[in-house]
Amino acid sequence: MFPNHRNSAIRCASLLGRRAAICAGTVLATVALGAWAQPLEKGGADRQTTTNPASSNVIEQAAPITLKRAFDAAWSRQPEAQSFAARQEAVEARRAVTQSWAAEPATLELSTRTDQLNRGQGAREHVLGVAIPLWLPGERSRSAAVIDAESRSAATRVAAAKLRIAATVRDAFWAWVRAREDLSLAQDRVSSARALAADVSRRVKAGDLARADQHQTDGQVAAAESALAESQGALTAAAQQLRALAGIAPGPGNISDIPSEALPSLPPSFADLDAAHPHVADLVAQAEVARRTVALTKVQTRANPELTLSTTRERGISADPYQQSITLGVRVPFGSDARYRAKLAGANADALELESQTRLARERVLADLDAVQQRVMSAKLVNEATARRAQLARETRGFFEKSFRAGESDLPTRLRIELEAVEAERQAARTRIDYAAAISALRQTLGLLPE
C-alpha cells in the first residue's frame, strides 16, 4: 500500500458509522485505481518507446562499425568474391587441356553396310573408328601461354574489383561519419540553447530581462531543435546507404573520436605502377591476354587436323569368311583466308584497345595522385586553422557566458558569440573529417584497401 493510501486509512479509522464506511470504500477504490493505472502507465511508456518514429534509435542500438569492417562485409556480398573460386577452377581445367596431346576430345565412329534390302547375298561391312583432333604447329604452347595470362588476369580482376568496392564504401562511410558528427553538434547546440533559455527565463522572472529576450532564446531553441531533426534525417539516409552496401546497420560508435586511416608513404618512383596499382595491373594483365591471343590466332589459320584410326570387318557374300583390316589416316581441313583475317583483326583490335586503356589509366592515376596530394596538404592546413578558431571560440564563449551571468554583457552579444562558437565547432569537425577523408582518398588513389 502506498503512503497516501495508508494515511487515508488511518484517517478513516478515526471516523465512525457511515462516514467510516464511505471513507473505507474510497480508500479501496483509490488502491484499485492506482494498481490498475500502473500497468497502463508502464504499457504506455513501452508503447511510446516501441513506436518512436525516430530512426536514430535504431542506429544507436546497432553495433559500431569501422571502415574495414564495412569494406569486408561489402566485399563478401559481391559477385566477384563469390565466383572467384569457380573461375580459378575453370582456368585450371583449361590448363589441363593444354597438357593433353589432343587438341579436342576424340570422336568415335561406328558404321555398318548390308545388302539385305536389295540383293540379299549376305554382304556385310562393319567399321569402328576413332578420330583424334591434333594441335596445329605452335598452337599448344601458345594456348598454354594464353591460359597463364588469363590466370594472372583473373587475380588482378579481383583486386581491381576490390578497389572499386573500396571506393564506393569509402564514399558512403565518410558521408555517414559527416552526418554522425553533424548530429552530435546539433545535440550539443540544443543542450546549450536550452541551458541559455533556462537562464534567461529565470532572469526574466526576476525582472532583470525583458520578455523579448525570452522570445529570442526560445527562438534559438526552436532553431536548434529543427537543425537536430534535419541531422537525424540525414544520418538515417547515410546509414541506410551504408547498410545497402555492407548489409549491416552502422552504429554511432564514439562520436568524439573521428576514425581515420594511416597516412601512406608515397613511393619514390611510380615506375612500378603497373604492378602496384590494382586497376592498372588489371588492364596490363588484360592487355597481355589480348597480345597472347593475337599470337595464338596467327597459328590458327585453319581447323585442327584429325588423326583417324579405324578397323573394318567385312565379307562379300554369306558364304565368304569375314576379313579384318585397319585404316590409318589424316584429315586436314582447308583454311579460309576471310575467316582468318576477320579473327586476327578482331584480336588485334582488342589488344590495341586494351593497350590504349592501360596508357590512359596510368596517366589518370598519376594525375589523381597529384590532385589528392594537394588535397591532403590543403585539408591539413585548413584543419589546423579551424581547430585554432574553434579553441578561441570556445574560450570566448566561456568569457561571455560568465559576463552575461554577471550582467556585464547583453543578450544579443551573448547569442552572437554562441552562434559563432557553434559554427566554429561545426567547421572544425567538418575539416577534421575532410582531412581524414582526404587521407582515405590518397590511399584509394594509391590502390590501397581500407584498414
Side-chain angles (χ1 to χ4, degrees):
M1 183 177 294
F2 298 97
N4 294 334
H5 303 158
R6 186 169 57 251
N7 295 335
S8 298
I10 295 173
R11 288 194 301 270
C12 288
S14 64
L15 299 177
L16 297 175
R18 183 178 180 181
R19 294 179 59 189
I22 294 174
C23 191
T26 303
V27 172
L28 293 176
T30 305
V31 173
L33 288 174
W36 177 71
Q38 286 180 358
L40 289 182
E41 292 173 358
K42 183 178 180 181
D46 292 342
R47 285 193 299 272
Q48 183 178 2
T49 303
T50 303
T51 59
N52 188 3
S55 57
S56 60
N57 293 337
V58 178
I59 298 175
E60 290 176 358
Q61 294 172 2
I65 189 173
T66 62
L67 179 58
K68 179 172 175 45
R69 181 187 172 197
F71 167 72
D72 293 339
W75 172 246
S76 64
R77 293 158 54 89
Q78 299 305 311
E80 293 88 347
Q82 300 174 4
S83 63
F84 177 68
R87 292 186 181 276
Q88 286 293 99
E89 184 178 356
V91 170
E92 294 302 323
R94 293 182 60 188
R95 191 192 308 276
V97 171
T98 60
Q99 296 175 358
S100 173
W101 60 275
E104 297 289 341
T107 58
L108 179 65
E109 179 184 359
L110 294 174
S111 64
T112 183
R113 183 174 63 86
T114 179
D115 63 349
Q116 186 176 359
L117 299 179
N118 45 18
R119 292 185 303 170
Q121 296 180 359
R124 300 288 188 273
E125 183 183 47
H126 306 291
V127 178
L128 173 62
V130 176
I132 304 174
L134 303 177
W135 294 102
L136 292 169
E139 182 184 14
R140 182 179 178 181
S141 60
R142 297 188 182 187
S143 296
V146 172
I147 297 300
D148 293 338
E150 288 181 349
S151 178
R152 290 189 294 270
S153 178
T156 57
R157 187 181 299 113
V158 170
K162 283 185 176 181
L163 190 62
R164 288 193 299 269
I165 297 301
T168 305
V169 172
R170 277 182 166 120
D171 292 340
F173 179 80
W174 290 115
W176 170 72
V177 171
R178 290 187 179 94
R180 188 190 67 171
E181 191 69 19
D182 288 343
L183 177 61
S184 176
L185 294 174
Q187 291 172 345
D188 294 341
R189 181 184 175 186
V190 169
S191 300
S192 178
R194 288 176 178 173
L196 179 60
D199 185 20
V200 171
S201 178
R202 287 191 299 268
R203 297 179 64 177
V204 169
K205 292 179 181 179
D208 296 338
L209 295 176
R211 291 291 300 275
D213 296 332
Q214 178 70 49
H215 290 175
Q216 288 183 0
T217 55
D218 290 342
Q220 292 297 324
V221 171
E225 291 175 347
S226 176
L228 176 61
E230 293 180 358
S231 300
Q232 288 176 339
L235 178 61
T236 301
Q240 290 300 326
Q241 183 178 3
L242 186 59
R243 181 177 183 177
L245 289 174
I248 52 179
N254 186 4
I255 296 182
S256 62
D257 184 16
I258 296 177
S260 62
E261 297 184 83
L263 182 64
S265 58
L266 300 179
S269 175
F270 295 101
D272 55 347
L273 188 64
D274 294 351
H277 198 281
H279 182 58
V280 179
D282 180 35
L283 291 175
V284 170
Q286 293 184 38
E288 181 63 20
V289 172
R291 285 192 294 269
R292 296 191 178 188
T293 302
V294 170
L296 175 61
T297 305
K298 289 181 178 180
V299 300
Q300 291 178 333
T301 57
R302 56 174 59 87
N304 294 95
E306 294 182 351
L307 175 65
T308 61
L309 177 62
S310 61
T311 178
T312 304
R313 188 169 181 267
E314 61 180 345
R315 69 182 182 184
I317 57 176
S318 58
D320 294 341
Y322 278 99
Q323 303 294 326
Q324 190 81 19
S325 62
I326 296 177
T327 303
L328 180 63
V330 177
R331 181 182 301 161
V332 180
F334 291 105
S336 175
D337 184 65
R339 291 189 178 91
Y340 168 72
R341 285 188 292 105
K343 187 176 180 180
L344 182 61
N348 281 322
D350 293 339
L352 291 175
E353 181 179 355
L354 288 169
E355 289 175 356
S356 299
Q357 290 180 2
T358 303
R359 183 174 61 255
L360 293 176
R362 292 193 189 100
E363 297 175 357
R364 184 166 53 251
V365 169
L366 292 176
D368 291 343
L369 278 175
D370 292 336
V372 173
Q373 290 180 57
Q374 294 297 326
R375 174 185 169 186
V376 170
M377 291 186 292
S378 175
K380 182 179 180 181
L381 296 177
V382 173
N383 181 36
E384 294 174 352
T386 54
R388 290 195 302 271
R389 181 196 173 193
Q391 179 64 28
L392 294 174
R394 284 192 296 268
E395 295 176 357
T396 303
R397 179 169 60 182
F399 298 152
F400 276 88
E401 183 178 358
K402 294 179 181 179
S403 64
F404 178 74
R405 290 179 179 177
E408 299 176 355
S409 59
D410 56 356
L411 182 61
T413 304
R414 174 73 175 86
L415 293 177
R416 178 177 58 82
I417 296 300
E418 182 68 24
L419 291 178
E420 290 179 356
V422 170
E423 180 64 20
E425 291 288 349
R426 188 185 68 84
Q427 288 187 355
R430 275 301 182 103
T431 53
R432 288 198 306 271
I433 297 175
D434 290 342
Y435 179 52
I439 294 176
S440 184
L442 178 59
R443 294 180 60 87
Q444 177 71 28
T445 307
L446 289 172
L448 303 176
L449 298 179
E451 63 178 16

